[in-house]
Amino acid sequence: MQIKGQNVVIIGGTSGIGLATAVAASAAGANVWSASRSADKVALCQSNYPDIEFSQVDIHDPAGLKDLFEKTGKINHIVGAATGANRTMVPFMEQTDEQFREAFNKFWGYTNVVRQGAPFLVEDGSITLVSGTPARKCNPGMSSVSCTGNAVEGLVRALALELAPRRVNGVAPGIIDTGMFDRLGDNKAAALENIGKGILLGRVGAAEEVADGIMLAIGNPYMTGVVLDIDGGALLP
Ligand SMILES: NC(=O)c1ccc[n+]([C@@H]2O[C@H](COP(=O)([O-])OP(=O)(O)OC[C@H]3O[C@@H](n4cnc5c(N)ncnc54)[C@H](OP(=O)(O)O)[C@@H]3O)[C@@H](O)[C@H]2O)c1
């Protein structure tokens, strides 16, 4: 499918998977609006990618999202790629209720994106939401991440039914080398290399590889209600 000249809005699009998707969509000729919270990231991206329109918005700010969607007029494709929450990776029984609920802020952010964005979506448009491998395969200590991912994937299927003929899909990344792991500081590269050894394809993924999956979900006019796994085989035993 051609996305040349189409309008694409990406929330969480100044780093990692969202930014790689913005760059791919722009390279394919789409008009791209890409947004996140941080003024610094927005400014840096704007100077690096002048063909994309970057702006500041928090996924938890429905009015800010609505303003952004309104600016575009009609929208062909919406991508929800924001992290949107802090996650506490400890066993469920050691986790506070507050910590567990906090992880779900990613999900509530995505519901905001859909509520505010869907009214602007053209009939043959699409929404793509990013979940993650832990929705279906996780290690101990990842209960809140797993449940949040499952909630996102459930939302994808429910919305595919309700918003048809608009299409709604998900993309579930495995371990991907993005800003999400910047908290590891100088240990990031070594830690990701080590994690990669335990993945079927022997390495962690790149943001551009997940963006490829999102571009497929955006572009395939007969695909809806699907969650695409881009994870180097991480779901296999
Ligand atoms: N990397 C992985 O291994 C992996 C695995 C599974 C799932 N995922 C999922 O993939 C998605 C993208 O993550 P990533 O790996 O690309 O991480 P990333 O490089 O840290 O990018 C996250 C993006 O989300 C934005 N963001 C975070 N909170 C936001 C908020 N409240 N409102 C608006 N924007 C917000 C960030 O910008 P600001 O800080 O400026 O807001 C940034 O642009 C996330 O949903 C993540 O859960 C990632």
Side-chain angles (χ1 to χ4, degrees):
M1 181 189 167
Q2 272 288 6
I3 68 161
K4 191 167 180 187
Q6 295 196 340
N7 292 348
V8 177
V9 182
I10 299 167
I11 310 299
T14 60
S15 172
I17 293 165
L19 177 59
T21 305
V23 171
S26 176
N31 309 310
V32 182
W33 286 261
S34 202
S36 81
R37 292 165 305 175
S38 136
D40 289 352
K41 285 185 199 165
V42 166
L44 181 65
C45 285
Q46 195 61 72
S47 78
N48 288 342
Y49 304 101
D51 291 343
I52 298 170
E53 182 156 335
F54 290 92
S55 59
Q56 244 183 304
V57 79
D58 191 319
I59 204 167
H60 301 298
D61 172 13
L65 289 168
K66 188 171 178 219
D67 283 351
L68 171 62
F69 290 128
E70 261 169 3
K71 256 196 235 165
T72 65
K74 66 158 196 170
I75 305 174
N76 299 92
H77 306 287
I78 296 172
V79 178
T83 321
N86 295 316
R87 297 98 53 85
T88 309
M89 305 264 210
V90 295
F92 178 76
M93 296 305 287
E94 293 167 23
Q95 188 157 169
T96 66
D97 191 48
E98 196 177 41
Q99 288 168 335
F100 198 83
R101 286 173 190 270
E102 165 59 28
F104 270 83
N105 277 330
K106 167 172 165 171
F107 177 74
W108 297 124
Y110 284 6
T111 61
N112 284 335
V113 168
V114 174
R115 275 191 214 288
Q116 300 306 322
F120 297 92
L121 207 55
V122 298
E123 277 229 327
D124 61 351
S126 77
I127 298 175
T128 308
L129 303 177
V130 179
S131 65
T133 299
R136 276 159 289 121
K137 184 178 180 185
C138 69
N139 294 321
M142 297 179 75
S143 57
S144 64
V145 182
S146 176
C147 291
T148 308
N150 270 294
V152 171
E153 295 186 3
L155 185 67
V156 161
R157 288 183 284 272
L159 291 176
L161 283 171
E162 291 191 11
L163 298 182
R166 293 158 193 85
R167 298 177 297 104
V168 184
N169 292 295
V171 169
I175 305 283
I176 310 298
D177 182 354
T178 68
M180 183 181 269
F181 293 99
D182 285 352
R183 63 190 153 79
L184 298 175
D186 292 345
N187 299 328
K188 178 179 173 180
L192 288 180
E193 190 181 342
N194 202 34
I195 291 170
K197 289 179 186 152
I199 296 170
L200 189 62
L201 292 188
R203 62 172 177 86
V204 303
E208 292 73 15
E209 291 168 321
V210 182
D212 268 358
I214 295 175
M215 290 298 285
L216 175 64
I218 287 176
N220 188 313
Y222 204 52
M223 178 176 158
T224 194
V226 166
V227 178
L228 266 182
D229 294 303
I230 312 282
D231 61 8
L235 286 175
L236 295 172

